[in-house]
Structure formats: structure tokens, C-alpha cells
Amino acid sequence: MRRPYFDNGLVTVISRLVAFTIFAKVKAVSRVFRQKTTSLSPRLESMSNSEILQAAVKNPEWWRTAVIYQIYPRSFSDSNGDGMGDLRGVASRLDSLVKLGVDAIWFSPFFKSPQKDAGYDVSDYCDVDPLFGTLADWDDLVVKSNAAGIRLIVDLVPNHTSDQHEWFQKALAAPAGSPERAMYIFKDGKGANGELPPNNWQSVFGGNAWTRLEEADGTAGQWYLHLFDSTQPDLNWENPKVADEMDNVLRFWLDRGAAGFRIDVAHGMKKREGLPDVAVQSSTMSGDVQAEMSIEQLEAHVPYWGQNEVHDIIRRWRRVVDEYEDRAMCAEAWIMPLNRMARWVRPDEYHQTFNFGYLECPWEKTSLVKVVTDSLKIFGSVGAPSTWVLSNHDVIRHVSRFGILGTPPQGDGIGPNSEQPDEAIGLRKGRAATAFMLGLPGGAYLYQGEELGLPEHTTLEGKYRQDPTYFRTKGERVGRDGCRVPLPWDSKGGESLGFSENGESWLPQPSSYKRYARDLQEGQAGSTLELYKRLLNERKAFGMGAGEFRWAPEFDGESTLSYLNNGVLVISNFNGEPVALPAGELLVTTQHDLSIEGVLEHDQTAWIKI
Ligand code: NOJ
């Protein structure tokens, strides 16, 4: 039965009451926590991360305010010289994340996988791919990171598996209509001989979303659905066995110390009954939706994203996660607009969701006012914190996005033939945007390397590319490899700049990465690394993750935007002339030139204790 969310008055009243009670409770707890942390140490400078975590135990809903650092395992740090980052590499660099001051790590998938989509094609949900190490390495990392006060979040990929997963292999070996095939979405084709795909759906990576099988006897057979690559068949969530299996996966990682899950394609899974044609083709994960469409219209518009029945799956997972203490889920739900996205984080669903509206917002005053106001209000209305994010492994790194005039669409990347970003402008705006973001209340997500100000690799040659988007569109969309390049740790660390000891690296780094290497930034006043450390430190010290936020127009001129959070004024200057900084203690500034005192130049942000 399809139920529009707002048609049942009683459900609405009850869920709002529950949301309000939880919200009020959390506010009270966070007030106490704030008082405790500020009275313990106004700047927390003398506290270690694990001491801060001990204090945070008083606030069980840590995820509401956490700064979560995304590790893309293959590109973080390589411990065995095969050019591929791994779990031991992470363990060996944990110290750098403690110094940075993050609360948790979200790992992109490190499970067994043929790596056709960099691990988002899972062939065994409950084992570590040998490329990244072993389950023992994971266990070791849990112990080490928890001791350092850092929680670990794993990536759950429930919409599809790899075609090498034993469930799919068994389905291939079994006849049409068998229970094995019922784990996936197999259909007969249209046309006299079934030669046409069952409908007109397109893959997010380009091309048809259906692939036809060749049966064991060599004849052409059924088609199977893959919203992504043909090596990533979609699971059939109409089959209760799929849900049971996924519960086991959740429990496996929760039992093994995971603090929660980032849920991949969190608005996928359920497809509209009858698999109707899509009205307007779109290769994005949000579909080509219009803000004025009703929820029913939106669901009909893209029959595979954001279907109402997905909420039953989310609630089921929430019950599993709630059996454990202190765990959380964050949804990768490309659901627009925000009021629709908020339905994914009602009190019995995901704990939080990536705020892609914020990620897509330009560095521009009016748009920022709107997205921040809407986010706080709309997520707040269901008792959820907003999250804030600027970069991840699927989008162009934000310093490069802000360095070009037009922003290329989701997942398209920047190639040698595209307009090239202005590196200096991009870095300046990117730092200012980060400082603006990290002062906001709620959870914040950082993507590995942004703390170094790393730009996108925009001139990567086709011969190195690995993203299936590049191949499925015959190079028309260059894809996401440019934001996934291995990190530069050491400017004198050989060919891969300290990423691996012998200089190996699965993607080549651009020559500019030497200038951004961590060793050159560590301890250097004004460096991007020191800026991030300072921002995270002050954010904790002033309890800004759970702070009292308000816009502060009394400090604004035409080109500036200001807000107050727990007594800290965050002020950004977007363009034009330098402006005088308001009086108060300057806590942080993004000005590269620290000799410039008392003013804020264009595309800079400062934090001032008023
Ligand atoms: C979203 C992930 O972030 C992306 O990297 C992946 O390719 C798709 N989901 C498919 O799993």
C-alpha cells in the first residue's frame, strides 16, 4: 500500500511529539555537555582526544555534533608497497587524525570486491579484501582508534552486489523463476524475442541499466537490472531473504566494533511496482526533479529513487542498530529538495543524512543564507541535526569547484580538455567556505586531503582512469578519479610523496601535490592543515556542534555574511574591498597573510570571540 506521508493526521501528530521529546532531551543533554566541556577546559588544548571522548560519553548522541573524516582506503596510505592504500596504512597514520581532531572515520568500502567500482561492488560483505588487509587488521584498527578517541564507521552497500557475489553466481546458474534468481531483478525482455530491455531505465554511470544474459546453453536469456555498472546487479528488496541477509551484515560489523554505517544509495533499493518507464532520463542520483513537485509526483517521476517503501527498510535497520549502544547511520540519499530529504531522518529512520543541498551550494551569500536557514529549520522539524559537507569521493574537490566559473554536473569530473580551475582562487574560496561550514551546529563531514587544501587532479590522462563512468560514456564524462588520487604525505618521500614506501601509487599524483604535502604544512602558521586543526579545536572548545546559532546581520555590510554560535562570530567576506573586523578576540582567520591585521579581505572567513 502506498501511503503519502502527510495524509495520516494521527501519524503526523505522534511522530512530531516523539521528535519534539527527543529534540528537547538532546538539547538538554548537549547543554550539560557544553557546560562540562567549557568548564573542564575552555580551549581543550590540554585534553587528549580520548579524554574528550570520555567527556562525550555523557552525550550518547555523539553523531549530532561529530566531525567525521572520510577515508578512501585505496588512497590514504599504503603499508605494503603495492600502490594501494590499506588498513595497516591507516593504523600507521592514526596519529595525524588525532592531531587533526576528528571524532570519527567513515571508511569507503574495504570489503571483498573485484574493484570494478572501487569497492562499491561487494562480493563478500563480511570480509576484508586482501588489497586492504584482513579482518584482524580491522580488529586492530578498532582497538587503536578507540583508544585514540576515534570511532569507525563502515560503508554499507545494500542496493547492489558485485556480479562475483555468490548470490549472483548462483542466480546465473539457476533457471529463470528460481529462488536464486529472486535475489536480484531478472526480467524477460520486450519485443518478439525478448531482445529489448524491460524498460527505458539508464545507468547512473551511463548506458542502459539492463544487461541481457547468455544462458548456459548459449541462447540469449533474461535481462538483469543494474542502476550502476553491469558488474553491480541490483538486489531484489521485494524478497524477504534479502532483508534478512542484510540484517546479518549489519550485526556482523556492529559486533566487530563499527560505530555505525554510511549507507550507500540510501534512497534506492525499492523500485516502483511494475517497473514503469522513467519520464525524463537523468544520470544523476537525484533524478531530474522539480522543487514544486508533490512527493507522489516525485516518486512517479523517477520510479527507482526515493520510493515510499524504502522507509520500511530504514526502520528495520534502525531497530537493529538500536539494539547496540551509541551507533548511528548516515544516509547517502540524493533526495531533493531538503524537505523531502528530511523524511529520511525522522526519529525512527536514519540518524543523519548528507546535506547535498549544502554541498551543491555555490560560495555566494544569498544561496548560503537560504540553504543554512532551510537546513536547520527543516531537519530540526523532525528532530535531526543538519550535516554539512563540501567534498567526497564522488564530486570534484571543493577547492577546484570554487576555482571554476561553471560547476560541472555531479560525477562528471574535470578532464584535460575541460575548463581548468584557477588554483589560487579556488584554494582561497575553499578555505573560507570550510571555515564558514565548520562553525555551523550539527555534524560535519571532511574528505581526506581537504585538510591539505588538495585540488582535483584535472589533467589525468585517459590511460590511468578507472571510474566506470569514463568507460561507459566512452570518455565523454571523465568521472571521479580526479578526486581519488593518493595523498601526499611527505614532499621528500619519493615518487608517491610518502603514500607508499617504494613510490607506487594506483593513480599518479599531479605535480602540484608536492607543494601540498603534509610535512610542508605541519606546524606552519597559515597552512591549510594548521587552519583545519585550529577550526576543529575551537569548534570543540566552544561547543559549536551543539551551539545556539543565529544570523548576525548587525555585523554585516553588503559583501559580508555573519552568524553567531555560542558566542563566536563567524564572518565571511565574499567579494570587493577588505572590511574591518569587528572587535573581539580573533580565534581563527583564513587569511594566508597573517601580517594583515584587523581586516578581512575578499573570500576570507574569520572567527571572533565576541
Ligand atoms: C555512491 C557511491 O558514493 C559511489 O562511489 C558509487 O559508485 C555508487 N554509490 C554505487 O555504489
Side-chain angles (χ1 to χ4, degrees):
M1 257 284 277
R2 305 181 64 72
R3 252 180 306 110
Y5 171 50
F6 290 108
D7 76 344
N8 183 335
L10 188 61
V11 172
T12 308
V13 169
I14 292 175
S15 56
R16 290 221 170 119
L17 268 176
V18 172
F20 179 77
T21 317
I22 293 179
F23 186 58
K25 233 178 167 169
V26 168
K27 283 219 102 176
V29 170
S30 59
R31 244 195 318 273
V32 170
F33 174 57
R34 225 168 35 236
Q35 280 160 8
K36 275 201 183 320
T37 49
T38 39
S39 62
L40 274 171
S41 155
R43 293 294 168 80
L44 302 181
E45 252 151 20
S46 56
M47 286 173 83
S48 70
N49 239 34
S50 63
E51 284 167 328
I52 294 167
L53 179 62
Q54 288 312 310
V57 168
K58 304 265 181 325
N59 175 6
E61 298 199 315
W62 57 274
W63 44 272
R64 287 183 174 270
T65 61
V67 175
I68 299 176
Y69 181 92
Q70 179 189 358
I71 286 190
Y72 197 63
R74 52 172 52 219
S75 299
F76 187 74
S77 179
D78 174 18
S79 73
N80 61 2
D82 64 356
M84 190 62 73
D86 45 45
L87 295 181
R88 287 189 180 197
V90 176
S92 72
R93 304 281 191 184
L94 214 46
D95 191 40
S96 67
L97 299 182
V98 173
K99 282 198 209 147
L100 182 59
V102 303
D103 302 303
I105 297 171
W106 147 38
F107 285 93
S108 282
F110 49 73
F111 319 112
K112 267 210 172 121
S113 157
Q115 305 293 324
K116 299 287 183 201
D117 182 22
Y120 283 94
D121 49 321
V122 180
S123 57
D124 183 347
Y125 288 100
C126 298
D127 205 353
V128 174
D129 195 283
L131 271 182
F132 303 121
T134 61
L135 278 172
D137 293 336
W138 162 263
D139 294 340
D140 178 56
L141 198 56
V142 170
V143 172
K144 289 193 172 124
S145 53
N146 286 355
I150 294 180
R151 293 174 161 92
L152 302 186
I153 294 169
V154 297
D155 211 318
L156 184 74
V157 188
N159 180 69
H160 45 264
T161 67
S162 155
D163 62 352
Q164 298 308 307
H165 196 289
E166 67 162 338
W167 302 335
F168 194 73
Q169 288 299 311
K170 283 187 177 157
L172 290 183
S178 62
E180 287 83 0
R181 289 240 171 140
M183 289 295 281
Y184 294 87
I185 304 178
F186 283 93
K187 293 280 168 214
D188 293 333
K190 286 184 177 164
N193 300 307
E195 71 280 12
L196 299 174
N199 65 23
N200 71 350
W201 297 2
Q202 295 290 300
S203 152
V204 172
F205 295 155
N208 210 302
W210 294 92
T211 291
R212 195 168 192 189
L213 290 186
E214 191 181 296
E215 301 291 4
D217 61 4
T219 57
Q222 288 192 299
W223 298 73
Y224 67 90
L225 177 70
H226 51 86
L227 289 177
F228 296 89
D229 190 47
S230 55
T231 59
Q232 294 166 293
D234 278 49
L235 284 162
N236 172 20
W237 277 88
E238 300 306 321
N239 182 348
K241 191 156 186 293
V242 169
D244 290 345
E245 293 283 2
M246 211 51 76
D247 285 356
N248 295 338
V249 174
L250 287 167
R251 290 206 171 85
F252 178 86
W253 289 104
L254 291 167
D255 288 338
R256 263 196 131 95
F261 302 95
R262 175 265 190 190
I263 313 280
D264 188 61
V265 198
H267 60 315
M269 277 97 62
K270 285 282 190 173
K271 280 72 185 178
R272 199 168 178 86
E273 209 181 326
L275 311 182
D277 277 355
V278 60
V280 181
Q281 297 290 1
S282 161
S283 60
T284 65
M285 280 176 65
S286 46
D288 177 33
V289 298
Q290 312 299 321
E292 66 276 7
M293 284 178 175
S294 71
I295 284 172
E296 276 292 291
Q297 282 171 327
L298 289 165
E299 284 179 18
H301 189 71
V302 194
Y304 43 86
W305 295 146
Q307 301 297 300
N308 202 41
E309 288 76 7
V310 178
H311 295 289
D312 298 335
I313 302 177
I314 306 171
R315 293 195 177 104
R316 177 179 176 132
W317 290 343
R318 179 67 187 245
R319 288 193 292 275
V320 173
V321 169
D322 282 352
E323 288 167 19
Y324 296 75
E325 222 178 305
D326 241 8
R327 317 295 168 100
M329 293 183 286
C330 181
E332 188 219 14
W334 284 91
I335 293 285
M336 306 292 176
L338 273 172
N339 58 359
R340 194 168 172 235
M341 195 187 275
R343 298 172 71 243
W344 260 246
V345 286
R346 285 174 287 183
D348 58 348
E349 302 198 32
Y350 295 126
H351 298 74
Q352 53 177 211
T353 181
F354 293 113
N355 188 342
F356 291 125
Y358 188 79
L359 184 146
E360 289 185 335
C361 181
W363 174 240
E364 187 267 322
K365 185 170 159 168
T366 320
S367 314
L368 277 168
V369 170
K370 175 151 176 52
V371 73
V372 171
T373 309
D374 287 356
S375 302
L376 293 173
K377 195 164 123 206
I378 293 170
F379 287 119
S381 72
V382 290
S386 184
T387 61
W388 314 104
V389 58
L390 286 167
S391 283
N392 66 33
H393 67 293
D394 288 330
V395 299
I396 296 162
R397 284 183 174 277
H398 68 276
V399 294
S400 299
R401 274 199 328 264
F402 293 139
I404 41 179
L405 282 178
T407 304
Q410 218 184 91
D412 278 12
I414 302 177
N417 302 325
S418 324
E419 173 197 354
Q420 294 296 304
D422 183 310
E423 195 176 319
I425 291 181
L427 181 61
R428 182 178 180 121
K429 289 187 179 175
R431 286 163 46 114
T434 299
F436 182 89
M437 174 183 95
L438 285 173
L440 294 169
Y445 279 81
L446 305 178
Y447 176 49
Q448 68 178 34
E450 68 165 270
E451 74 278 22
L452 303 176
L454 281 191
E456 184 89 355
H457 190 336
T458 56
T459 53
L460 191 66
E461 287 175 59
K463 66 178 181 195
Y464 296 114
R465 296 217 171 251
Q466 304 212 6
D467 184 350
T469 313
Y470 180 74
F471 301 103
R472 291 184 64 90
T473 62
K474 302 193 172 47
E476 198 182 307
R477 294 162 61 199
V478 294
R480 303 160 293 176
D481 293 309
C483 64
R484 299 173 172 180
V485 174
L487 296 186
W489 290 91
D490 181 357
S491 58
K492 296 179 260 339
E495 238 184 280
S496 64
L497 300 170
F499 166 68
S500 83
E501 265 181 23
N502 58 3
E504 290 296 315
S505 133
W506 71 279
L507 280 179
Q509 297 153 319
S511 56
S512 66
Y513 271 30
K514 195 166 188 171
R515 298 200 297 277
Y516 291 91
R518 185 172 295 254
D519 64 313
L520 300 180
Q521 301 199 36
E522 198 87 64
Q524 294 302 316
S527 72
T528 304
L529 180 59
E530 290 305 319
L531 170 68
Y532 269 69
K533 285 187 196 165
R534 184 117 193 125
L535 288 167
L536 295 195
N537 193 344
E538 299 295 4
R539 178 184 160 88
K540 275 204 182 106
F542 287 91
M544 291 163 85
E548 300 285 342
F549 169 94
R550 78 166 174 81
W551 293 115
E554 66 274 29
F555 291 98
D556 280 343
E558 213 171 291
S559 68
T560 56
L561 177 62
S562 310
Y563 63 81
L564 276 162
N565 182 355
N566 276 3
V568 177
L569 177 75
V570 175
I571 177 167
S572 298
N573 186 10
F574 289 81
N575 40 44
E577 296 302 307
V579 295
L581 277 178
E585 182 193 345
L586 183 63
L587 299 173
V588 197
T589 173
T590 58
Q591 296 273 162
H592 287 82
D593 182 352
L594 298 175
S595 65
I596 302 177
E597 280 178 21
V599 294
L600 195 62
E601 295 180 305
H602 72 91
D603 299 312
Q604 304 284 7
T605 298
W607 288 17
I608 298 164
K609 183 170 176 254
I610 295 292

